[in-house]
Amino acid sequence: MCISMDRAAFSGTTLYAGRLRHPTHGLVHVLGYQNTAVNLAGDAHGNAMLLHLPARRRMRKGNFLPVGHADDVLSRMVDAAWPVAVAPVGAMDWMGADDEPQVEVFEHDIYTVLLADDPTLLPAALDQVPPRKRPRLDPELLEFYAAHYPGHSLAVCCFDNAEAARAKPLLMWYSPLSPDLLILPALDCHTGGAPDLAAVVPTDHFVLYGTDEAPDGWGAPVDYPAGMGHELRQFLPRTVMGSHFDGIPLPNGDFALHHDDLLNGRLERIHRLRPTPGPTPAPAPATAPASAP
């Protein structure tokens, strides 16, 4: 259900993509990510999940949103879109600027995050990760991202087994390369090596969307917890729509949906994007079952 830096198993993934005009940052996309993970790398090694983000400007620590006590925010979106007959999602999270490429290393919830716009710089920054969380980096995987996702920001979220169960939802915002195309990272490979772009992979995903241009009556209202801080609330939608991909084999790739299709409730137009060397990804069909209003 995602890319890991070493052997791992993932299930019950929740993905959220939002589009809004922020009073300070302008038009931004918001990514939410959560799932259940099992580290299979062995006790001597940490592990990490890698998210590729089509950000127009270099991302920094401030792009990651603290959820505080609102650690069920993505579960509440799922409950809004599927009020009955959907099992709860697992508790595990998954998972401004100068122009010089660099890696920013910081702590976010249980993770040590390496944030870079050049994957080839990651190995030199790895010694800043605590040994218990430090993953092994396969050069083949880093070369894959350098070739197939140029211009993307890369977030490597490092964790260890002891802390995995306490993870909170991962939420971040960014200025998108394509403002009208909502992309959710869902490329799949759990070995630590480069993913197979020709593969057909199983799915276990709740895919959710929100927009500040939603008309009256659009989607399902989300019941957020009382006392949620404004810093987080300003990035979240009033209503959501979504589709549940449960055990359906799909071409390996990311989920994507055009904003106009979202506004018109055409979730059957969710499709898969498979990267090709260079800046333009290639679309592949995806069927969007179990849509929520």
Side-chain angles (χ1 to χ4, degrees):
M1 319 309 167
C2 64
I3 301 294
S4 61
M5 304 301 285
D6 210 321
R7 292 179 300 113
F10 298 91
S11 61
T13 302
T14 298
L15 295 161
Y16 167 72
R19 181 183 186 270
L20 59 90
R21 285 176 173 80
H22 189 273
T24 302
H25 307 300
L27 195 152
V28 302
H29 287 185
V30 180
L31 170 70
Y33 212 104
Q34 186 171 22
N35 70 13
T36 300
V38 177
N39 181 14
L40 303 178
D43 292 338
H45 296 280
N47 209 331
M49 192 197 70
L50 196 153
L51 297 173
H52 48 278
L53 305 162
R56 181 166 55 87
R57 301 190 186 99
R58 181 171 171 253
M59 294 178 65
R60 293 185 179 273
K61 177 180 178 180
N63 291 87
F64 282 66
L65 300 169
V67 300
H69 296 296
D71 54 5
D72 62 348
V73 60
L74 294 184
S75 295
R76 286 174 179 259
M77 291 186 188
V78 171
D79 290 343
W82 293 276
V84 295
V86 172
V89 185
M92 174 66 182
D93 170 26
W94 293 109
M95 40 101 301
D98 69 61
D99 293 330
E100 290 299 316
Q102 56 185 285
V103 181
E104 187 173 8
V105 183
F106 57 93
E107 300 298 318
H108 182 82
D109 188 36
I110 65 141
Y111 307 110
T112 300
V113 178
L114 286 75
L115 189 60
D117 51 10
D118 181 350
T120 65
L121 300 179
L122 291 170
L126 201 60
D127 61 357
Q128 299 180 55
V129 178
R132 61 190 171 82
K133 298 182 183 179
R134 192 177 300 161
R136 294 174 288 203
L137 295 181
D138 187 331
E140 181 188 24
L141 179 60
L142 302 183
E143 292 167 3
F144 170 87
Y145 274 99
H148 291 82
Y149 287 97
H152 283 59
S153 290
L154 299 169
V156 180
C157 304
C158 305
F159 67 100
D160 69 6
N161 278 343
E163 295 178 323
R166 297 191 293 106
K168 295 180 179 180
L170 187 61
L171 289 163
M172 64 193 77
W173 64 270
Y174 58 92
S175 299
L177 289 170
S178 301
D180 294 324
L181 184 64
L182 293 162
I183 301 173
L184 286 165
L187 199 63
D188 191 84
C189 184
H190 307 154
T191 66
D196 180 1
L197 296 180
V200 173
V201 297
T203 55
D204 183 12
H205 297 75
F206 295 95
V207 178
L208 295 154
Y209 294 94
T211 171
D212 65 352
E213 296 183 27
D216 291 342
W218 183 97
V222 183
D223 179 23
Y224 294 115
M228 176 187 286
H230 177 69
E231 181 181 5
L232 177 60
R233 182 65 186 88
Q234 65 183 327
F235 286 97
L236 299 179
R238 294 181 299 105
T239 57
V240 293
M241 281 189 175
S243 288
H244 185 198
F245 294 84
D246 184 12
I248 299 166
L250 291 176
N252 204 0
D254 301 324
F255 289 105
L257 181 66
H258 288 280
H259 186 246
D260 284 347
D261 290 329
L262 177 62
L263 287 175
N264 288 288
R266 296 194 291 257
L267 299 192
E268 73 279 2
R269 297 195 178 183
I270 295 173
H271 56 282
R272 297 283 259 184
L273 286 180
R274 287 182 288 187
T276 56
T280 305
T287 302
S291 297

